Amino acid sequence: MAEDYAATIEQIRKQEEELVFDSFTYDDAFALGCLLYVRAKEKNLPLTVDITRNGQQLFHAALPGTSPDNDQWIIRKNRVVSRMHKSSFQVGCILKEKGQSIEEQFLISSFEYAAHGGAFPLTVKDCGVIGTISVSGLPQECDHRFVTDVIAEYLNSKKAPSVR
């Protein structure tokens, strides 16, 4: 039974359109990074968390159960987002739908680029993609879902009116 990659790709495109920041500061990177870390810790997930803006790593933390291998996965997944301006999971689904490898489609090495879920574009309204928000440690669909759920939670918390 073939997986319905078209539906998954469309769902990810919608997430990429909706999960957009009005601005993104150093404080946002710290707050979002901490939220990713705390949510992973609450669920006892073995994740490494990374936020990079314009080539500068603003947040990076690892939970128990991770290894230096997770850091390398993040680097490779971030390269996909930086080059394609799409989530690493979307690029992977596009490749699977076409039945092609990253080498065949883009003439780039899978040793340098990983089209696997977990790296999501850090997009700022009226600016475009300026970085990546990434996790590594779970199966790729779970990495993707975790990072998008926490980004959505963070963005919703910023929209909520403060009570005084």
Side-chain angles (χ1 to χ4, degrees), residues 84-158:
M84 312 293 175
H85 288 193
K86 294 178 167 84
S87 75
S88 55
F89 191 46
Q90 183 185 162
V91 173
C93 289
I94 290 168
L95 291 171
K96 286 178 185 173
E97 183 179 52
K98 292 180 176 187
Q100 292 187 316
S101 69
I102 201 161
E103 289 92 345
E104 293 167 324
Q105 178 67 28
F106 300 111
L107 303 175
I108 56 179
S109 171
S110 62
F111 293 111
E112 299 280 325
Y113 294 82
H116 297 273
F120 197 81
L122 168 51
T123 305
V124 174
K125 184 180 176 184
D126 299 327
C127 288
V129 176
I130 63 164
T132 54
I133 304 162
S134 309
V135 300
S136 174
L138 304 174
Q140 65 172 337
E141 295 91 351
C142 299
D143 273 353
H144 177 82
R145 186 177 317 109
F146 179 83
V147 78
T148 55
D149 286 351
V150 177
I151 293 169
E153 178 185 350
Y154 182 77
L155 288 170
N156 287 334
S157 75
K158 289 188 65 121

Side-chain angles (χ1 to χ4, degrees), residues 8 16 26 37 40 42 46 50-51 59-60 63-64 67 73 77 85-86 90 95 111 118 120 125 137 142:
T8 302
E16 291 173 1
Y26 289 94
Y37 183 90
E42 288 171 350
D50 182 87
I51 299 176
F59 187 93
H60 190 88
L63 284 102
S67 73
W73 273 100
K77 291 190 275 189
H85 288 193
K86 294 178 167 84
Q90 183 185 162
L95 291 171
F111 293 111
F120 197 81
K125 184 180 176 184
C142 299

